[in-house]
Amino acid sequence: MTELPGNALALLTLGAIAGTYIWRWAGVMFAARVKSDGPVFQWVTFVSYAMLGGLIARMVILPIGPLMETPLLFRALAFVIGLGMFFALGRRVLPAVFIGVASFIFLVS
Amino acid sequence: MISDARTVTRLAIRDAVGFPSITLLASMTGFGSLVHESGLPLVMAIAATAGIWGLPGQLALVEMHVAGVSAFFVILAVSLANARFLPMVVSFMPLMNREGSRTRWNFALVQMLSINSWAAGLKRFPEIERNFRRRYYIVFAVICMSAGILGTVIGYLGVGLMPRPIALGLIFMNPLFFAVLLAGIQSRASMIALIVGAPLGVIFHLVTPDLDLLLTGAVGGTLAFWLNKRLPHRESTQ
């Protein structure tokens, strides 16, 4: 965690930046030649989204850090409210997030 | 067809100030708060926002690092979580650039591409003369990135001053924002992958916290890929 020396933290961050940039770079490099709807890229897209789905669920159900001190029920409830509002309000992002976060603050206070 | 610089600049400013900037300001405020509450330095928060420039990857970086995952796996997971940039860039670049213009600038400009600028470009480029599309993108993306970095700093510095419930709310904003933004992608394929991945993320975290995201991606992604092929198609996949 925070015991990690500054250099190691900087390297980690730079590594993550490079690991992200590589996709952007490859996109520019091969824009003309890559078939982004081929089976391999389709599979990579599925892998990517499955990871994101897993990360969201994990952050809500098994959070790390300050949210650990809040009850699972509150997190789940506020999450469902926020997501439900998103669809109920015709896919409007900001009101949905605002209502979800406000419900969470109300529940934990 | 819009073909003068002033009009293009004004159009880009009008499109960027408003929903995209406010969304980025708010979501990155959540991210900045998370970095602060994780005990990590401000410079890392700013570097992650400007360098990764995609909330999911930024969250993966901070969350996995705090969970104690080794650097190699963190970087691998962040990279894979951002693989969606490749198809985005591939579909964006040919629309933005003049035919046959493959300048080195593209390698720098592509860093600012995010889902906001991608969507705005795809929507506006058909109305803009080719020579001015790049100007539109730069103005739009610079405004977005400024809003994102500003939000990161506000969240980082602000969260400590907030009463505890509000600070917790700012951190809770991360998964919620993330979910709502992804739910907005109206593609059957990504929906299947998200839904398959969600339970796996929790299960694998309990079994092997170090490899949870990578396993979720490999197993869930493959399963979703297969499911998408098997399930009857009502609409096109992308």
Side-chain angles (χ1 to χ4, degrees):
Chain A
M1 289 231 261
T2 39
E3 314 84 66
L4 207 68
N7 282 342
L9 202 56
L11 277 178
L12 175 76
T13 309
L14 288 176
I17 291 171
T20 303
Y21 183 72
I22 197 164
W23 299 105
R24 302 178 188 270
W25 174 85
V28 176
M29 200 66 195
F30 306 116
R33 278 167 283 165
V34 153
K35 268 193 68 192
S36 64
D37 53 355
V40 175
F41 282 113
Q42 255 187 27
W43 180 77
V44 172
T45 308
F46 277 95
V47 169
S48 196
Y49 280 106
M51 288 173 77
L52 301 182
L55 181 61
I56 295 175
R58 212 272 294 131
M59 286 178 78
V60 175
I61 297 171
L62 301 168
I64 299 160
L67 289 182
M68 285 168 90
E69 68 191 66
T70 61
L72 171 62
L73 181 67
F74 292 175
R75 297 191 303 262
L77 204 59
F79 186 80
V80 171
I81 291 173
L83 206 55
M85 276 299 162
F86 176 69
F87 290 108
L89 297 173
R91 296 174 181 270
R92 288 172 60 200
V93 171
L94 290 172
V97 172
F98 181 79
I99 294 170
V101 170
S103 335
F104 184 75
I105 294 173
F106 174 76
L107 287 167
V108 296
S109 48
Chain B
M1 193 68 99
I2 302 163
S3 58
D4 80 285
R6 290 259 308 275
T7 314
V8 170
T9 307
R10 243 179 303 162
L11 182 69
I13 294 174
R14 214 180 52 209
D15 285 348
V17 175
F19 178 78
S21 303
I22 297 169
T23 308
L24 282 162
L25 190 76
S27 60
M28 293 302 160
T29 301
F31 176 71
S33 322
L34 178 74
V35 177
H36 182 272
E37 294 301 296
S38 305
L40 297 165
L42 175 61
V43 61
M44 179 177 174
I46 297 172
T49 295
I52 297 175
W53 196 227
L55 184 63
Q58 293 170 231
L59 292 178
L61 169 64
V62 172
E63 287 270 318
M64 292 178 81
H65 171 62
V66 173
V69 177
S70 60
F72 176 76
F73 289 131
V74 175
I75 292 170
L76 193 57
V78 171
S79 179
L80 277 171
N82 282 324
R84 71 210 146 81
F85 282 125
L86 175 59
M88 276 167 64
V89 173
V90 168
S91 57
F92 191 81
M93 283 298 161
L95 281 174
M96 179 174 75
N97 289 319
R98 269 164 291 177
E99 270 122 288
S101 87
R102 287 213 338 165
T103 62
R104 266 171 271 174
W105 278 108
N106 284 338
F107 289 100
L109 290 178
V110 75
Q111 175 60 29
M112 293 193 297
L113 190 70
S114 69
I115 188 72
N116 293 288
S117 43
W118 180 81
L122 258 50
K123 184 166 155 248
R124 287 294 190 198
F125 283 165
E127 307 166 20
I128 301 169
E129 217 254 301
R130 249 179 209 282
N131 291 336
F132 294 96
R133 290 182 186 175
R134 191 178 263 196
R135 169 184 286 267
Y136 176 87
Y137 166 72
I138 294 173
V139 173
F140 186 96
V142 165
I143 294 172
C144 284
M145 202 174 241
S146 311
I149 293 172
L150 182 65
T152 307
V153 175
I154 291 174
Y156 190 94
L157 300 176
V159 70
L161 309 171
M162 296 289 163
R164 196 65 186 157
I166 295 178
L168 290 170
L170 285 174
I171 295 165
F172 178 75
M173 191 156 80
N174 286 297
L176 185 58
F177 235 121
F178 185 2
V180 165
L181 290 173
L182 287 174
I185 301 171
Q186 299 185 10
S187 132
R188 187 185 102 132
S190 55
M191 251 341 145
I192 293 175
L194 285 168
I195 292 167
V196 170
L200 292 178
V202 175
I203 295 165
F204 283 128
H205 186 71
L206 292 170
V207 181
T208 155
D210 235 29
L211 293 169
D212 56 351
L213 271 191
L214 292 169
L215 280 173
T216 303
V219 176
T222 307
L223 189 64
F225 181 73
W226 178 81
L227 271 175
N228 186 50
K229 287 222 181 312
R230 297 299 304 259
L231 291 173
H233 281 248
R234 282 184 294 117
E235 41 182 329
S236 65
T237 40
Q238 279 300 326

